[in-house]
Amino acid sequence: MISAFFRKKELRVRQEILKGIYEENLRIIGKKKGALLRQRTFSPNRLLLILCIAAIVVLAGGNYLDAPLLAEKQTAGGTVMRQLPWSAELPNPSDFKAFITNADVSVSRTFGLGVKTIMIDAGHGGVDSGTRGKMGTAEKDIALDIAKRLKSRLDKYGRFHVVMTRSEDVTLPLNKRVELAREAKADLFVSIHLNYLPSKPINIIETYYFGPSADSKTQELAEQENAGSQYGLGEFKEIIEKLGQKLKLQESRELAYSIQKNLFANMEKENGNAYNFGVKRAPFVVLLGAEVPAVLAEVSCLSNRQEEKQLNTEAHRENIAHDLEAGILDYINKGEAGYGADRYAEKR
Amino acid sequence: MAQTDTRKKDEVLFVGIDLGTSRSSISAGNGKREWIESFVGWPKDFIAMQVVGKPVLFGSEALQNRLSLDICRPLEHGVIKEGINRNDEAVKEIIRHLIELSGPASGQKIQAVVGVPADTLKVNKLAIRKAVTEFVHSLMVVTEPFAVAYGMNLLNNSMVIDIGAGTADFCIMHGSIPSEEDQKTVLTAGDYIDEQLFSYLSEKYPNSKFNKNMVRQFKEQYSFVRDTPEEIRVEIPVDGKPVMHDIKNEIRRACESILPALAETTAEMIARFDPEFQVKIKNNIVLAGGGSLIRGLREHLQDALKEYGPCKVSCVEDPLFAGSDGALKLAQDMPSKYWEPL
Ligand SMILES: Nc1ncnc2c1ncn2[C@@H]1O[C@H](COP(=O)(O)OP(=O)(O)O)[C@@H](O)[C@H]1O
Ligand SMILES: [Mg+2]
Ligand SMILES: [Zn+2]
């Protein structure tokens, strides 16, 4: 008897409390009790709801009919890029023939048609001088000068929108550069740097695109060039794994080849000590943002005394700008004229 | 109306959420119970986004990646304002994440009761509702200690003391929903202990490098008041080399620093009631929250209150989920007609 009495009392208390919470929450949203409980029975609301659902069903029905047509159109236009089976890992040279005759690749190579905005990134700047030659020439100054020359050369064509990450001697963190490239919706990204090799009196020319790198020299260089970022090399391993699929690595590689070839061919004539270090992969932060072809060119070498002298002449800097221009145009024309495949195969 | 009355159980998922300053948990009708630390981090820039690989991170994962993230602990200062410090956004993310963790079936309606620190609720009632409402079908917010009390069936003649990170919340239950008078909040809680411990340790070992995170971990591992037979020594790097540090005294002093306010507030709140009622409440005091894990705290409080007559203090079994379990029970007990307008 007694326990039943208490149970009943407890139940009443519980109901009282639940109601209290309900009313409190009604007050919070500024509704009055009572009015709302009745609202459920209003049929006009119901009717409106049914009408809305009916309308949605009709609209959706129309869409279903359109959908397959749309997909076909896209494929025919050639803008759809299917994921290459090996896109994370590039083919080794012996696979290259298969690589370029693959139908998917020829679709992706029409990419060149789309090149409108070219972003030029002069390495370092402001408090970050980059490397410095024995006579005191700073990488940041030479890189900027060449970048400006390259811009005005490309501007002459009138068909490109050429933008610079920096046009003055200012400090610009790497992640900011990446951000700029994304904001500008760049179709191509070229970062200009100068090398330094203290142990040998040679002039190294090399061009990089983003990717993992096995050799320690390259790792060192990457660490140097990434100094302006807050990210450590450990983190890059992850980034590379994650981004491998997304970055346009095939195109970046081609752009790199194109630039490297032009740079070296001309440099060889001017400086007997020029060495072709070729195209390499390295985890440079600055190449990360663009999901478009992006390369970093070490266009010259400040540790080479003769080269440092020459870099202080306008003519030499103009020549380098010319070589970069030629490399970029080669790459773009290849895509546009569609004659790239054979030429490319030859070169290999 | 026939529809609502005969609705199948599975059409609705009831969830109870404890939205805490340091930890948030969810208990769901489908049996899932999950918790996260109440930190939200968003990648600072595009590269950071690539590094962490997701648009938003939570809890310890957010802390591990803190260099790449803007971190927010939304209820830390008890105020949620739209557009300021992304607090409201962070609350939304926490709620969304917790609900995801509870694994609702597709198409299931979610009816949620959310427990919030008493002080936060006082000034942010609408803001909290707004932040949560997006992810649930119907929603009720309650104060956190009340959710604990309801879950433990302490509806009458009882008192809950929820010792969290930012605040300790007191709530007296006397058979109806507690009014503002029945609830009180003090700032001497977990974070306060951390600050004390940090300054005691920095004072005693000026050459050792401490940070807030380390200090909190020491506390959570060794917390006690009064006495404990064990030695408490930890390894901390000094000039790069690990060195053993005796921190027993400092742990004790820091933990004991919250005792006076706890005992006084409890006595003061109980004193407002009739003597007959006072006796009942004093025999029904329950400690909840992470702070209730401090060894010796229950005994100390019980002894301190004996001064005013006999008294019994106990601890909830599972401080991490006591709040969300209580909120879930509220959600399940709530008559369906009450859910509809909310
Ligand atoms: N074993 C422990 N001893 C002392 N304090 C603890 C222990 N475990 C957790 N805490 C502290 O409890 C607080 C978190 O409690 P919690 O109830 O989750 O807080 P909130 O509701 O504010 O999120 C933190 O300050 C935490 O450091
Ligand atoms: Mg809590
Ligand atoms: Zn450089």
Short mmCIF file of all heavy atoms in Angstrom, two decimals, chain B residues 55-80:
data_model
loop_
_atom_site.label_atom_id
_atom_site.label_comp_id
_atom_site.label_asym_id
_atom_site.label_seq_id
_atom_site.Cartn_x
_atom_site.Cartn_y
_atom_site.Cartn_z
N PRO B 55 37.87 19.34 -42.95
CA PRO B 55 37.52 20.75 -42.69
C PRO B 55 37.36 21.09 -41.22
O PRO B 55 37.41 22.25 -40.85
CB PRO B 55 36.20 20.94 -43.43
CG PRO B 55 35.63 19.57 -43.59
CD PRO B 55 36.79 18.61 -43.65
N VAL B 56 37.18 20.08 -40.39
CA VAL B 56 37.04 20.38 -38.96
C VAL B 56 37.48 19.18 -38.13
O VAL B 56 37.26 18.04 -38.50
CB VAL B 56 35.58 20.82 -38.63
CG1 VAL B 56 34.58 19.81 -39.12
CG2 VAL B 56 35.39 21.03 -37.13
N LEU B 57 38.17 19.47 -37.01
CA LEU B 57 38.68 18.40 -36.15
C LEU B 57 38.19 18.61 -34.73
O LEU B 57 37.89 19.73 -34.33
CB LEU B 57 40.21 18.38 -36.15
CG LEU B 57 40.90 17.73 -37.34
CD1 LEU B 57 40.89 18.67 -38.52
CD2 LEU B 57 42.32 17.39 -36.98
N PHE B 58 38.18 17.53 -33.96
CA PHE B 58 37.65 17.62 -32.60
C PHE B 58 38.63 17.08 -31.58
O PHE B 58 39.50 16.26 -31.89
CB PHE B 58 36.36 16.82 -32.50
CG PHE B 58 35.29 17.33 -33.41
CD1 PHE B 58 35.14 16.82 -34.68
CD2 PHE B 58 34.46 18.34 -33.00
CE1 PHE B 58 34.17 17.29 -35.53
CE2 PHE B 58 33.48 18.84 -33.84
CZ PHE B 58 33.34 18.31 -35.10
N GLY B 59 38.41 17.54 -30.36
CA GLY B 59 39.06 16.95 -29.20
C GLY B 59 40.55 16.78 -29.33
O GLY B 59 41.27 17.67 -29.78
N SER B 60 41.02 15.60 -28.94
CA SER B 60 42.46 15.39 -28.87
C SER B 60 43.09 15.46 -30.26
O SER B 60 44.23 15.90 -30.40
CB SER B 60 42.77 14.05 -28.21
OG SER B 60 41.97 13.05 -28.78
N GLU B 61 42.34 15.06 -31.27
CA GLU B 61 42.89 15.15 -32.63
C GLU B 61 43.14 16.61 -33.00
O GLU B 61 44.14 16.95 -33.62
CB GLU B 61 41.94 14.50 -33.63
CG GLU B 61 42.63 14.16 -34.92
CD GLU B 61 41.68 13.70 -36.02
OE1 GLU B 61 40.46 13.65 -35.79
OE2 GLU B 61 42.17 13.41 -37.11
N ALA B 62 42.24 17.48 -32.59
CA ALA B 62 42.42 18.91 -32.85
C ALA B 62 43.65 19.42 -32.10
O ALA B 62 44.45 20.18 -32.65
CB ALA B 62 41.18 19.69 -32.42
N LEU B 63 43.82 18.97 -30.86
CA LEU B 63 44.96 19.45 -30.08
C LEU B 63 46.28 18.98 -30.68
O LEU B 63 47.26 19.74 -30.72
CB LEU B 63 44.85 18.96 -28.63
CG LEU B 63 43.82 19.69 -27.78
CD1 LEU B 63 43.81 19.16 -26.37
CD2 LEU B 63 44.08 21.20 -27.79
N GLN B 64 46.30 17.75 -31.17
CA GLN B 64 47.53 17.24 -31.78
C GLN B 64 47.95 18.07 -32.99
O GLN B 64 49.13 18.20 -33.28
CB GLN B 64 47.33 15.79 -32.22
CG GLN B 64 47.62 14.78 -31.13
CD GLN B 64 46.94 13.46 -31.43
OE1 GLN B 64 46.69 13.12 -32.58
NE2 GLN B 64 46.62 12.72 -30.38
N ASN B 65 46.95 18.59 -33.71
CA ASN B 65 47.25 19.35 -34.93
C ASN B 65 47.15 20.84 -34.70
O ASN B 65 46.90 21.60 -35.63
CB ASN B 65 46.28 18.94 -36.03
CG ASN B 65 46.56 17.56 -36.55
OD1 ASN B 65 47.55 17.34 -37.24
ND2 ASN B 65 45.73 16.60 -36.18
N ARG B 66 47.36 21.28 -33.45
CA ARG B 66 46.98 22.66 -33.15
C ARG B 66 47.77 23.70 -33.93
O ARG B 66 47.29 24.80 -34.15
CB ARG B 66 47.02 22.95 -31.66
CG ARG B 66 48.36 22.79 -31.00
CD ARG B 66 48.23 23.07 -29.50
NE ARG B 66 49.41 22.68 -28.78
CZ ARG B 66 49.63 21.43 -28.38
NH1 ARG B 66 48.74 20.50 -28.61
NH2 ARG B 66 50.75 21.12 -27.76
N LEU B 67 48.98 23.35 -34.41
CA LEU B 67 49.75 24.32 -35.20
C LEU B 67 49.05 24.67 -36.50
O LEU B 67 49.21 25.78 -37.00
CB LEU B 67 51.14 23.76 -35.52
CG LEU B 67 52.13 23.76 -34.38
CD1 LEU B 67 53.48 23.29 -34.86
CD2 LEU B 67 52.24 25.16 -33.78
N SER B 68 48.30 23.74 -37.01
CA SER B 68 47.65 23.98 -38.30
C SER B 68 46.24 24.52 -38.15
O SER B 68 45.58 24.80 -39.13
CB SER B 68 47.56 22.66 -39.09
OG SER B 68 48.79 22.01 -39.13
N LEU B 69 45.77 24.68 -36.92
CA LEU B 69 44.34 24.95 -36.73
C LEU B 69 44.05 26.23 -35.95
O LEU B 69 44.86 26.69 -35.17
CB LEU B 69 43.69 23.79 -35.97
CG LEU B 69 43.86 22.38 -36.53
CD1 LEU B 69 43.25 21.37 -35.57
CD2 LEU B 69 43.22 22.27 -37.89
N ASP B 70 42.88 26.78 -36.21
CA ASP B 70 42.29 27.76 -35.30
C ASP B 70 41.46 26.96 -34.32
O ASP B 70 40.50 26.30 -34.71
CB ASP B 70 41.37 28.72 -36.05
CG ASP B 70 42.15 29.67 -36.94
OD1 ASP B 70 43.26 30.06 -36.53
OD2 ASP B 70 41.66 30.00 -38.03
N ILE B 71 41.84 27.04 -33.05
CA ILE B 71 41.18 26.19 -32.06
C ILE B 71 40.18 26.99 -31.24
O ILE B 71 40.45 28.14 -30.87
CB ILE B 71 42.22 25.55 -31.12
CG1 ILE B 71 43.14 24.65 -31.93
CG2 ILE B 71 41.55 24.83 -29.97
CD1 ILE B 71 43.08 23.20 -31.56
N CYS B 72 39.07 26.38 -30.97
CA CYS B 72 38.03 27.05 -30.18
C CYS B 72 37.47 26.08 -29.16
O CYS B 72 37.20 24.93 -29.45
CB CYS B 72 36.94 27.53 -31.14
SG CYS B 72 35.52 28.26 -30.32
N ARG B 73 37.35 26.55 -27.91
CA ARG B 73 36.71 25.77 -26.85
C ARG B 73 35.47 26.57 -26.49
O ARG B 73 35.53 27.47 -25.65
CB ARG B 73 37.69 25.66 -25.69
CG ARG B 73 37.33 24.65 -24.64
CD ARG B 73 38.38 24.69 -23.54
NE ARG B 73 37.99 23.86 -22.41
CZ ARG B 73 38.57 23.93 -21.23
NH1 ARG B 73 39.55 24.78 -21.00
NH2 ARG B 73 38.17 23.15 -20.25
N PRO B 74 34.37 26.28 -27.14
CA PRO B 74 33.28 27.26 -27.24
C PRO B 74 32.64 27.68 -25.92
O PRO B 74 32.23 28.81 -25.79
CB PRO B 74 32.26 26.58 -28.14
CG PRO B 74 32.57 25.14 -28.11
CD PRO B 74 34.06 25.03 -27.87
N LEU B 75 32.54 26.78 -24.94
CA LEU B 75 31.81 27.19 -23.74
C LEU B 75 32.74 27.70 -22.64
O LEU B 75 32.32 27.95 -21.53
CB LEU B 75 31.00 26.01 -23.19
CG LEU B 75 29.97 25.45 -24.17
CD1 LEU B 75 29.20 24.32 -23.53
CD2 LEU B 75 29.02 26.53 -24.63
N GLU B 76 34.02 27.83 -23.01
CA GLU B 76 35.01 28.16 -21.99
C GLU B 76 34.62 29.37 -21.17
O GLU B 76 34.75 29.38 -19.96
CB GLU B 76 36.37 28.40 -22.66
CG GLU B 76 37.47 28.63 -21.65
CD GLU B 76 38.84 28.42 -22.26
OE1 GLU B 76 38.98 28.57 -23.49
OE2 GLU B 76 39.76 28.10 -21.50
N HIS B 77 34.18 30.42 -21.84
CA HIS B 77 33.87 31.63 -21.08
C HIS B 77 32.38 31.80 -20.85
O HIS B 77 31.91 32.86 -20.48
CB HIS B 77 34.47 32.85 -21.78
CG HIS B 77 35.95 32.73 -21.92
ND1 HIS B 77 36.79 32.74 -20.83
CD2 HIS B 77 36.73 32.53 -22.99
CE1 HIS B 77 38.03 32.57 -21.25
NE2 HIS B 77 38.03 32.43 -22.55
N GLY B 78 31.65 30.74 -21.10
CA GLY B 78 30.25 30.73 -20.72
C GLY B 78 29.32 31.54 -21.60
O GLY B 78 28.14 31.58 -21.35
N VAL B 79 29.85 32.18 -22.62
CA VAL B 79 28.98 33.01 -23.44
C VAL B 79 29.09 32.57 -24.90
O VAL B 79 30.18 32.37 -25.41
CB VAL B 79 29.37 34.50 -23.36
CG1 VAL B 79 28.30 35.35 -24.03
CG2 VAL B 79 29.54 34.92 -21.91
N ILE B 80 27.97 32.45 -25.52
CA ILE B 80 27.98 32.14 -26.94
C ILE B 80 27.36 33.31 -27.67
O ILE B 80 26.20 33.65 -27.45
CB ILE B 80 27.14 30.89 -27.24
CG1 ILE B 80 27.72 29.71 -26.48
CG2 ILE B 80 27.11 30.62 -28.72
CD1 ILE B 80 26.86 28.50 -26.60
#
